Amino acid sequence: MALETTNLPPLPPKPRNLFPLWASAIVGLAWMMGVQLDISPKTLIYGWEDILEYFSRYSSPDFSQAPGYVVLMLQTMAMGLWGTVLAFVLGFFLAPFAARNLSPNAWTYNLAREALNFMRAMPDVLLALVLISAGLGLGPQAGALALGIHTAGFLGKFFAESLERVDKGSYEALDAVGAGFSQKLMYAGWPSILREMSGYTLYILDRNIRTAAVLGLVGAGGIGIALYDTLRMFNYSQSAALLIVLVITIMVLDRMSNFIRSKLQ
């Protein structure tokens, strides 16, 4: 008996190797960006000795005014804390209206979303400068407000997206018994995302304390303004001490934040 043969379909064509094409495109794009930004590897190589010499000026930190540095660091931390409190309050009230499944209507949803987008789009450094020029003057108040307004856009977006991920059945069960907007939030929305809210808020607090030091460079108070003054006067020893205080504080806060987040999980 003759063996029956089956006609098998032909093998698919071998896929093309596009790696050389993509690699060439990336290299070409990087080269064009380097030309446009005037990035010169030769300058970096020849300037290496000058860079090392400059950083060597920070090798002898002066802690003779350490108590004052600590006070300035506490002021910076307070600025970041109050900025986070303001961001949490604004985000807490705007997030339900920016959640698609909770917002009363499309007009309210779009208005809340655009408000959060505007807050995120305005850099905190620019906001601090505007508030200082507007009449608040130099000091931590302008910095705290700038941090709060800017990061409220992030917290509001995070909270709104978390509220949208809540199980739809939780909201529907409350709708079935005639619950209103605020009742759905208090009994289904916020309790379901409490852990996420805590993690996001701790992240923003950590971020705001770091940024508060930068805002001091534009006159918003805290350790940043002292660092700016010492750098402007070429007092590298005191600048080194201020940087060390700042770095140690950030490291401690990072450890504490990670510990709290691990407990929340």
Side-chain angles (χ1 to χ4, degrees):
M1 180 183 294
L3 294 176
E4 295 184 0
T5 59
T6 57
N7 295 325
L8 297 176
L11 294 175
K14 184 178 179 181
R16 296 179 180 179
N17 183 13
L18 297 178
F19 176 77
L21 176 62
W22 285 110
S24 301
I26 292 173
V27 171
L29 180 62
W31 179 80
M32 287 190 293
M33 291 173 62
V35 172
Q36 184 68 29
L37 298 175
D38 197 21
I39 297 175
S40 173
K42 184 187 297 185
T43 303
L44 292 175
I45 294 172
Y46 287 132
W48 188 246
E49 292 183 1
D50 294 335
I51 294 173
L52 291 178
E53 188 277 328
Y54 175 78
F55 282 111
S56 67
R57 302 175 190 177
Y58 295 87
S59 59
S60 56
D62 177 13
F63 288 99
S64 60
Q65 302 181 34
Y69 300 158
V70 173
V71 171
L72 290 172
M73 191 65 237
L74 290 174
Q75 190 179 75
T76 299
M77 293 172 63
M79 193 192 315
L81 174 62
W82 283 111
T84 306
V85 170
L86 176 60
F88 180 85
V89 172
L90 291 175
F92 183 85
F93 283 105
L94 285 174
F97 299 101
R100 191 182 298 274
N101 55 347
L102 287 173
S103 190
N105 51 63
W107 185 86
T108 306
Y109 169 78
N110 290 322
L111 182 63
R113 279 283 178 174
E114 293 307 320
L116 295 175
N117 289 337
F118 173 78
M119 292 177 184
R120 289 198 308 277
M122 291 294 291
D124 35 29
V125 175
L126 177 60
L127 280 171
L129 287 171
V130 170
L131 292 171
I132 290 171
S133 303
L136 291 180
L138 302 175
Q141 185 176 2
L145 286 174
L147 289 171
I149 294 171
H150 178 64
T151 52
F154 290 96
L155 276 184
K157 177 179 171 64
F158 294 155
F159 293 170
E161 292 179 349
S162 297
L163 288 171
E164 289 177 346
R165 290 194 297 268
V166 174
D167 184 17
K168 185 170 64 175
S170 301
Y171 295 134
E172 291 176 346
L174 289 171
D175 282 332
V177 297
F181 176 76
S182 59
Q183 291 171 316
K184 287 195 293 183
L185 275 174
M186 297 307 297
Y187 292 106
W190 296 129
S192 300
I193 67 167
L194 184 60
R195 185 174 297 175
E196 292 180 64
M197 287 174 61
S198 303
Y200 289 140
T201 305
L202 284 172
Y203 168 75
I204 291 297
L205 174 62
D206 181 65
R207 182 260 180 204
N208 278 350
I209 292 176
R210 297 168 191 258
T211 309
V214 178
L215 293 186
L217 298 176
V218 297
I223 201 169
I225 196 168
L227 184 59
Y228 171 75
D229 288 338
T230 55
L231 288 172
R232 186 166 53 88
M233 299 301 294
F234 305 106
N235 194 337
Y236 299 108
S237 297
Q238 289 189 1
S239 297
L242 289 166
L243 287 171
I244 290 173
V245 171
L246 177 62
V247 169
I248 291 176
T249 304
I250 294 301
M251 291 173 63
V252 172
L253 288 173
D254 184 66
R255 293 284 184 178
M256 292 175 59
S257 178
N258 288 336
F259 175 76
I260 295 173
R261 278 198 291 265
S262 65
K263 292 299 181 183
L264 290 174
Q265 294 175 357

